[in-house]
Amino acid sequence: MATMARTWMAGAGMALLAGCASQATPDTAAQLFDCGALDQAVESAEGGFDDIKGRLDDTRLTRTWETDVQAFHDACLITSARRPDHYVCFGRLKLDSPQPALIQGGEGLARCLGKDWTSRQTSAERIEFVRDAAGPVVVLETFLNDRGRRMGTLSVFQKARDAAPMPGDG
């Protein structure tokens, strides 16, 4: 399950989101994300997600914890492998083009996170949100799976350096 998380080119993401925000429906966030669960995951990042970690599955390559905090498609967990512990969710985005899926998802996240957060599109299929330089980072990425379906990962990292791209990230 740890391979679910894919992770991080500066761009005009904030302007892009701002330009599209008026086109979003009010229900975008409610359709894509559980905002309360996302808030809980973000607040838990400061403590290493300890307060939302459930049963541990420890293997040679990774550690994963179950969690009851489900912000996206009831497919969320806390994991660490090549990165420190982070919260990650995986699910289908029912749109065909990566740009609209990323923008719609970004609009939903912006609504959930609120006005204190800023966003930037760091690649064609990645948007990251920060509230302050030292705090958690929320990342939304999209990709096509092996069946040609548009998928998304929603991740909450404890710090910006944890969310930075690593060699081999897609």
Side-chain angles (χ1 to χ4, degrees), residues 15-138:
L16 192 54
L17 283 176
C20 295
S22 62
Q23 298 171 7
T25 65
D27 297 328
T28 300
Q31 292 171 2
L32 293 175
F33 307 107
D34 179 328
C35 297
L38 179 59
D39 288 344
Q40 190 176 356
V42 166
E43 294 307 314
S44 183
E46 245 181 75
F49 304 100
D50 289 344
D51 61 330
I52 64 170
K53 286 179 178 174
R55 186 179 62 84
L56 170 65
D57 183 17
D58 198 1
T59 70
R60 281 185 324 115
L61 301 175
T62 187
R63 295 179 314 163
T64 58
W65 292 264
E66 293 177 358
T67 183
D68 291 334
V69 178
Q70 299 294 312
F72 182 54
H73 282 290
D74 291 330
C76 304
L77 52 88
I78 297 147
T79 187
S80 63
R82 301 186 317 159
R83 302 180 192 288
D85 296 354
H86 60 283
Y87 175 88
V88 64
C89 307
F90 176 84
R92 185 161 181 212
L93 295 170
K94 296 181 182 183
L95 299 170
D96 297 327
S97 169
Q99 201 63 1
L102 186 68
I103 297 305
Q104 182 177 359
E107 290 171 355
L109 277 179
R111 289 179 188 271
C112 279
L113 294 168
K115 63 182 177 167
D116 293 340
W117 290 76
T118 59
S119 66
R120 71 181 181 124
Q121 186 171 345
T122 60
S123 76
E125 297 196 45
R126 180 183 170 109
I127 294 177
E128 60 186 54
F129 294 81
V130 296
R131 181 171 40 195
D132 59 64
V137 176
V138 177

